[in-house]
Amino acid sequence: MRQFHGPRYRRTAESSAGNEAAGPSQRRRHCIALLQDGAECYRLLQRPDHELCPPHHREYKELCGRYKDAEEHYNRLVEPEIGLEVEGVKEKIAWGRKTVDLRNQVNRRFFSQHAGNRGHIQWILKLEGKIKALEGTLKSEGDHGKSPPLPEDTEANNQEHEPEQRVYRSLLSPEIHMSALDHLPADSVFKLAKQEMLIFSEELVTRLYNIASSLNDSAATLEQPGCETRIEPDEGDLVVRFVFREFLLWKADADTLARANKAESIDAFLRRCFPSELQDYIKFFELFGRVDTLHFLRDAICDYLLPPGASPTVILGGVVATEDKQRRMTIEGWDILYSYFSDVVEWCNVEQFCVRSEDMSLIKRLVALHRYSKARDGEPEWLDKDNDVSQECPFAVLQGFVGITKGYSDPPITPVTTKDGITIERRSRCYLTGRMAKNEPLAKDLIKELVNRVARYIVIVYDMESNEYGFREVVSRSDELEESPWITRTRSVAVGESLQNALWKIEWSLKDVLSDLELIQRLRDRNMARDYYEFIIIDRNPGGAFNILDDVADALIQLAGDPPVQEIINKAVQRSFPMDQQRQVLEAITLDVSSAVDLNIPNVHYEGSRVRSWSVLDNNSGIFRIKPKRSKSDLRITAKILAEMESHGLITSLKTFQPPHTCPAVVRGTDGLEDLYFDYYLGPTDESALRRSRLISPEISLSAESLYEFAQTFRAAHPDAVFAKGKIHVHYCAWPMPAMRHGALGIPTFRTVEGHLFRWNVLPFDSPLSSRIWQYFIHCETNSKLPFVRFVQTTFVVCAKSPEDAEANLKILLAAAAKHDWKLSVPPPSLWTVDFESLDLQTLWVGIHPAMYRRTDDLCELQTALEAEPAGNVSTSSLQ
């Protein structure tokens, strides 16, 4: 960490500031154009985002059209490759001068307080260089006495050329040395005025050096205030000199820039300036540190660290970039800013020094890694977890997500209140806005992941690089019916009336959040490129605690493959620090990782190889009465199991929100592996209708005894019969039959804790009465059609009148199973036996039970009572 140095500049109150140094950060109400005499225009703007009043906007377009026409004429005049047409070169120079004059007028009158001035200056300097080269060529040719005849009968001859112009300078100009006035009498007014002006200018230069001593580059060392010792300029001093260069490039006209381009040092330039110019520079440095001057400091640091190979412009002996695309705020730049300019830079305005979105990601990572935390008294603090949203969750910002704003209720809002005879219901949702650079490797995956969490969040993502004229390009968003989802809403009725029929009044919505973000971009981030995605994440469920940022961090960790915490930190350090500093930084990092869990969960392969118990909820309905808090491991296991189920077509991910019926819980099985259980409660059971249903008929028995009784009956009819016990392969946690609608609730759905929403394609084990529905289905498809087979849940017994009939019966059974894509396990006919007692038909395959499983007989007693009742008639279609 660099040693903090005290403030270098005398700062005045912001209220004392004039408009001289005002940049685009100030929110204006008046036109920024200057009149032809240099006076201010005080016409009001029609819209806040406008900069010019209508008359000046029209004049601006007219002047732009004129200089573009002049430039087109200039470009059409081609220099001959052989020989020199003097009049042609003179004509090209004249058009070039006219183009520069018009463009300079546009620059001075319409961009005097605009960062876009830089591009105009670059263009003017480039064209002036070409014109000077032409003039030099013309002069060189003239010195050799070459004066070819003028071409006749050409369009150029018919044009009326402007007379040759000469440049005259006043004797009072700072560029005219005092010796040029030696021919005048000692008491000449001009000579006396010149001497007084030089004295006044010297006093102004001295005053400027007293304010910003770093500017004095007349010697290799600098004076220290109150001390005779001189020191070499440090990085802070050199950056201050670049601040001055940036100010000139931003504000000065073409003539001033031409003088700055020729000057070899700042001191030499200042001593050739007019007093009025020096007064402007003094005023600027008096106000330096005001919010609308910080972009000069940013550009100065970037240009001071400008990498080789850039195409800069030389001003006052130093090179400055003319386009932001050449600039970057690297860790060296942030170190300089923190070490030397913390008197003007705080945690809340570091964003103003970012050129591109990756610069913002970098500084936020560095702050999260405690690079700029207060180590000793007197040092500044850029880490403020209480106020900086981006620093509330370090593992979000370390992976590239920068939180911007948030909304939440603290303390939680009381939903319904009564006051003055009025009952008011108020609902409020948490929300988060954030950014992620477009070049972040996980940016697009995060967009997809968050948008898919429809059961938890409403997500809208914008591509800000395409944001023009206030239009935001939506990259992706949740499939919502509302164009502007609400954040806070209320409804009220008189005491005693029902709130259910009252209309909601929206107090805060997505539109208001976007308005806040536009204000932030206009006031704080206006000089930063918008090469990022902007996220708006709204918690769908009102009244909850704010944990959206933690969920974003967890989603990024999951997308990265659940790396250990230390690996995340290592990667962030490698991205942010030079290689020679990384080891030292890692040793010094003391992030709070107490809540982080390193996850190393392998992929699961349950489908086709493992069956969860299908009767747990039937026999132990209290398994979900105690719902422990789900751990990160539980969430990852749930995601992996569901991913496999979705890949096999058991469930379908929903992209449009609908109310979910349940959320799965993770329960460890007796084999040590985790299973998912779904606590479906779709309303009270109509026991009267159930008693009349065929689901409770004796032939739809779930008892294993029915297999044994069937075998006994078959043996009694066929003494030579042979038997085999088999198993039907069901899904991991569902029956191999289509999902069924449950009245108005439709097909059962469920959500995950993270917010993914799924619908069943098959009948889940845990759906109410699913075991009986499956038994009824398989009874209709096999038991009632094939007299030699009997299925009970997952187990069946297949018979043949004699060993010779076994193979034929087996083919018929397999053909029936193939119609439904069922998979059966059954011994070959050669292994069928006459001793069905040895088959243990009283035992069914029931899958893996939970380790906490404890059978209760409550439901068994109810089923026994129901089975004793006579069955009513019910059609198959009524169960669909």
Side-chain angles (χ1 to χ4, degrees):
M1 186 64 65
R2 296 182 183 276
Q3 179 72 27
F4 171 69
H5 293 260
R8 294 179 172 273
Y9 315 105
R10 187 172 72 228
R11 300 176 60 192
T12 60
E14 191 165 333
S15 59
S16 68
N19 289 325
E20 290 293 331
S25 61
Q26 267 186 310
R27 190 172 183 180
R28 290 182 161 274
R29 297 181 58 195
H30 299 92
C31 177
I32 68 169
L34 299 178
L35 304 180
Q36 291 187 0
D37 60 358
E40 295 274 356
C41 174
Y42 292 101
R43 291 191 184 96
L44 293 177
L45 300 175
Q46 290 186 337
R47 290 178 53 182
D49 55 340
H50 287 177
E51 294 184 333
L52 300 174
C53 63
H56 275 126
H57 179 69
R58 290 191 293 271
E59 186 179 1
Y60 165 73
K61 293 180 66 176
E62 180 186 356
L63 277 174
C64 286
R66 288 173 59 191
Y67 87 67
K68 288 179 181 178
D69 289 341
E71 183 183 10
E72 187 177 349
H73 277 284
Y74 171 82
N75 292 330
R76 279 205 302 261
L77 296 172
V78 181
E79 300 173 55
E81 297 183 1
I82 301 176
L84 180 69
E85 296 181 0
V86 175
E87 293 301 322
V89 174
K90 288 182 178 180
E91 183 181 5
K92 188 175 180 70
I93 291 173
W95 279 109
R97 285 293 178 197
K98 183 175 182 179
T99 305
V100 170
D101 291 342
L102 290 171
R103 184 73 181 259
N104 196 26
Q105 188 177 165
V106 170
N107 170 53
R108 284 180 288 128
R109 293 188 56 202
F110 300 102
F111 290 90
S112 64
Q113 299 177 14
H114 199 287
N117 189 35
R118 182 178 306 279
H120 290 263
I121 296 300
Q122 180 192 27
W123 186 93
I124 291 171
L125 290 175
K126 187 181 296 185
L127 185 56
E128 280 198 325
K130 294 180 179 179
I131 295 172
K132 288 179 181 178
L134 285 175
E135 290 176 333
T137 303
L138 187 63
K139 184 176 183 301
S140 173
E141 295 294 339
D143 291 343
H144 287 80
K146 295 182 179 180
S147 180
L150 296 176
E152 298 178 355
D153 301 326
T154 63
E155 183 179 354
N157 266 348
N158 296 330
Q159 292 181 356
E160 184 177 344
H161 298 289
E162 296 182 7
E164 183 177 353
Q165 298 181 355
R166 295 184 177 225
V167 178
Y168 295 92
R169 296 192 182 277
S170 168
L171 292 176
L172 298 179
S173 172
E175 294 187 73
I176 303 299
H177 196 269
M178 190 66 185
S179 60
L181 278 69
D182 289 345
H183 63 285
L184 297 176
D187 59 350
S188 169
V189 174
F190 289 101
K191 205 166 188 177
L192 294 175
K194 180 81 170 179
Q195 291 173 343
E196 290 296 325
M197 190 184 73
L198 289 177
I199 295 173
F200 184 46
S201 296
E202 287 293 329
E203 292 176 351
L204 291 176
V205 171
T206 302
R207 182 183 172 190
L208 178 60
Y209 286 163
N210 288 335
I211 297 172
S213 59
S214 304
L215 294 178
N216 190 352
D217 60 353
S218 59
T221 56
L222 293 173
E223 291 184 1
Q224 288 185 289
C227 180
E228 295 182 0
T229 306
R230 300 180 66 89
I231 58 173
E232 292 186 0
D234 56 25
E235 288 184 317
D237 298 311
L238 300 178
V239 167
V240 172
R241 295 172 183 177
F242 271 91
V243 169
F244 183 54
R245 295 183 179 101
E246 304 298 337
F247 179 67
L248 284 180
L249 187 61
W250 181 81
K251 182 176 178 60
D253 57 21
D255 291 337
T256 305
L257 281 175
R259 286 190 284 117
N261 184 259
K262 296 176 183 177
E264 297 181 355
S265 67
I266 295 176
D267 185 73
F269 171 78
L270 292 175
R271 298 186 187 283
R272 295 179 182 176
C273 287
F274 288 98
S276 60
E277 294 176 323
L278 292 172
Q279 289 173 331
D280 286 344
Y281 305 150
I282 290 172
K283 188 170 186 178
F284 169 75
F285 279 99
E286 284 180 334
L287 300 178
F288 181 69
R290 201 174 68 175
V291 63
D292 55 349
T293 64
L294 296 182
H295 64 94
F296 298 116
L297 179 56
R298 183 203 73 171
D299 293 348
I301 292 175
C302 292
D303 288 349
Y304 171 67
L305 299 172
L306 200 64
S311 55
T313 296
V314 178
I315 294 180
L316 304 179
V319 294
V320 294
T322 54
E323 294 180 340
D324 278 346
K325 66 181 182 181
Q326 300 175 352
R327 295 190 171 97
R328 289 292 182 276
M329 275 297 287
T330 61
I331 185 172
E332 293 83 1
W334 292 114
D335 285 349
I336 291 173
L337 197 64
Y338 181 78
S339 299
Y340 297 99
F341 301 97
S342 289
D343 58 321
V344 296
V345 184
E346 302 176 32
W347 71 266
C348 56
N349 65 358
V350 293
E351 291 89 348
Q352 290 185 261
F353 296 88
C354 301
V355 181
R356 305 184 67 82
S357 58
E358 54 259 40
D359 298 341
M360 177 181 285
S361 300
L362 173 61
I363 183 57
K364 295 299 183 180
R365 280 199 308 272
L366 293 172
V367 172
L369 292 170
H370 294 195
R371 176 73 168 182
Y372 306 118
S373 300
K374 183 184 295 185
R376 293 176 295 273
D377 291 341
E379 286 196 337
E381 175 72 72
W382 284 2
L383 178 62
D384 189 343
K385 291 187 176 182
D386 294 332
N387 297 298
D388 189 349
V389 177
S390 66
Q391 299 301 325
E392 291 184 11
C393 179
F395 290 101
V397 72
L398 290 182
Q399 297 177 95
F401 185 89
V402 179
I404 303 298
T405 64
K406 69 175 183 177
Y408 61 99
S409 300
D410 186 18
I413 296 174
T414 303
V416 180
T417 58
T418 300
K419 184 178 181 181
D420 299 331
I422 301 295
T423 300
I424 301 174
E425 181 179 10
R426 190 167 189 263
R427 300 287 183 182
S428 182
R429 290 166 164 171
C430 297
Y431 73 88
L432 170 72
T433 68
R435 297 174 182 172
M436 203 164 185
K438 295 177 71 174
N439 62 357
E440 287 286 348
L442 294 178
K444 291 185 178 180
D445 290 335
L446 181 65
I447 294 172
K448 182 178 179 181
E449 172 66 21
L450 293 179
V451 169
N452 286 341
R453 297 186 177 190
V454 293
R456 181 77 182 276
Y457 295 121
I458 300 170
V459 180
I460 307 99
V461 183
Y462 300 96
D463 182 352
M464 299 305 296
E465 201 166 18
S466 303
N467 183 12
E468 294 182 2
Y469 307 109
F471 173 76
R472 290 169 168 259
E473 179 184 346
V474 178
V475 177
S476 185
R477 68 171 289 164
S478 305
D479 190 4
E480 295 297 314
L481 297 177
E482 297 177 275
E483 182 65 26
S484 182
W486 62 272
I487 304 296
T488 304
R489 64 181 183 177
T490 60
R491 59 182 177 180
S492 60
V493 294
V495 173
E497 297 182 6
S498 174
L499 279 167
Q500 300 301 320
N501 298 325
L503 297 177
W504 289 103
K505 179 182 178 181
I506 296 178
E507 296 181 345
W508 198 259
S509 68
L510 172 64
K511 182 179 179 181
D512 300 291
V513 175
L514 292 175
S515 178
D516 283 350
L517 292 176
E518 287 291 345
L519 186 62
I520 290 173
Q521 290 162 2
R522 188 182 307 121
L523 298 181
R524 190 189 72 184
D525 307 335
R526 65 198 174 279
N527 292 321
M528 185 179 76
R530 296 188 176 187
D531 53 336
Y532 57 85
Y533 295 117
E534 190 163 74
F535 294 72
I536 299 179
I537 309 168
I538 304 171
D539 196 331
R540 189 178 294 278
N541 302 309
F546 181 87
N547 50 20
I548 305 177
L549 197 54
D550 292 329
D551 288 349
V552 171
D554 186 64
L556 287 167
I557 292 174
Q558 187 175 5
L559 291 170
D562 287 316
V565 169
Q566 191 58 49
E567 185 178 327
I568 297 174
I569 297 174
N570 292 348
K571 187 174 181 179
V573 170
Q574 291 168 4
R575 294 182 62 189
S576 308
F577 291 87
M579 186 174 296
D580 58 346
Q581 300 180 25
Q582 292 174 9
R583 182 176 179 180
Q584 181 181 359
V585 171
L586 287 171
E587 292 174 353
I589 286 177
T590 57
L591 287 181
D592 179 14
V593 297
S594 58
S595 60
V597 179
D598 286 340
L599 302 172
N600 184 19
I601 301 172
N603 292 328
V604 298
H605 302 285
Y606 287 177
E607 183 65 19
S609 61
R610 189 169 186 275
V611 176
R612 200 213 73 191
S613 176
W614 43 264
S615 59
V616 169
L617 294 184
D618 290 341
N619 298 329
N620 193 343
S621 58
I623 193 171
F624 290 106
R625 288 175 186 165
I626 300 177
K627 296 184 177 180
K629 185 177 180 180
R630 295 174 175 89
S631 66
K632 289 287 182 66
S633 298
D634 290 344
L635 301 184
R636 295 297 190 270
I637 291 168
T638 300
K640 290 180 180 292
I641 295 175
L642 295 180
E644 190 202 24
M645 291 171 60
E646 186 175 17
S647 68
H648 285 85
L650 277 62
I651 55 177
T652 296
S653 177
L654 300 180
K655 308 304 180 186
T656 303
F657 175 76
Q658 63 184 65
H661 298 131
T662 189
C663 183
V666 177
V667 179
R668 186 177 295 274
T670 54
D671 61 352
L673 299 178
E674 289 81 3
D675 286 312
L676 297 186
Y677 286 84
F678 302 82
D679 184 18
Y680 276 110
Y681 176 74
L682 304 179
T685 302
D686 186 346
E687 295 187 10
S688 176
L690 183 60
R691 293 175 189 274
R692 298 191 302 271
S693 170
R694 285 188 176 181
L695 295 179
I696 311 301
S697 64
E699 58 186 3
I700 312 300
S701 174
L702 305 183
S703 173
E705 294 293 332
S706 62
L707 290 180
Y708 183 79
E709 293 170 358
F710 175 79
Q712 278 186 321
T713 303
F714 198 89
R715 165 55 61 81
H718 308 286
D720 298 330
V722 292
F723 304 87
K725 182 181 180 182
K727 177 174 69 172
I728 180 171
H729 292 272
V730 297
H731 299 300
Y732 157 66
C733 60
W735 301 108
M737 65 171 289
M740 300 181 62
R741 298 182 64 86
H742 287 263
L745 295 175
I747 295 175
T749 61
F750 66 90
R751 69 171 182 88
T752 63
V753 174
E754 297 97 325
H756 293 283
L757 184 62
F758 296 94
R759 181 184 62 222
W760 288 96
N761 298 325
V762 292
L763 182 65
F765 285 166
D766 301 332
S767 180
L769 300 174
S770 68
S771 297
R772 287 197 167 272
I773 293 172
W774 162 249
Q775 187 62 39
Y776 179 83
F777 181 77
I778 202 169
H779 171 78
C780 295
E781 297 298 322
T782 57
N783 291 356
S784 63
K785 295 179 180 180
L786 304 178
F788 54 83
V789 68
R790 175 59 56 90
F791 281 80
V792 175
Q793 300 299 281
T794 59
T795 312
F796 65 87
V797 58
V798 59
C799 317
K801 297 177 182 180
S802 64
E804 292 76 16
D805 297 329
E807 186 171 352
N809 286 2
L810 181 58
K811 288 182 179 180
I812 295 172
L813 174 60
L814 294 177
K819 293 180 181 179
H820 299 283
D821 292 328
W822 292 338
K823 294 181 180 180
L824 306 180
S825 290
V826 59
S830 60
L831 297 180
W832 291 20
T833 179
V834 297
D835 183 14
F836 67 84
E837 298 281 355
S838 65
L839 298 179
D840 190 20
L841 296 177
Q842 292 89 346
T843 303
L844 304 178
W845 281 293
V846 294
I848 305 299
H849 283 290
M852 59 179 283
Y853 176 71
R854 181 171 60 85
R855 182 183 178 88
T856 62
D857 296 327
D858 299 340
L859 189 57
C860 296
E861 293 175 1
L862 173 62
Q863 290 174 345
T864 302
L866 291 174
E867 289 176 1
E869 296 291 331
N873 295 325
V874 61
S875 65
T876 303
S877 59
S878 66
L879 297 175
Q880 301 303 315

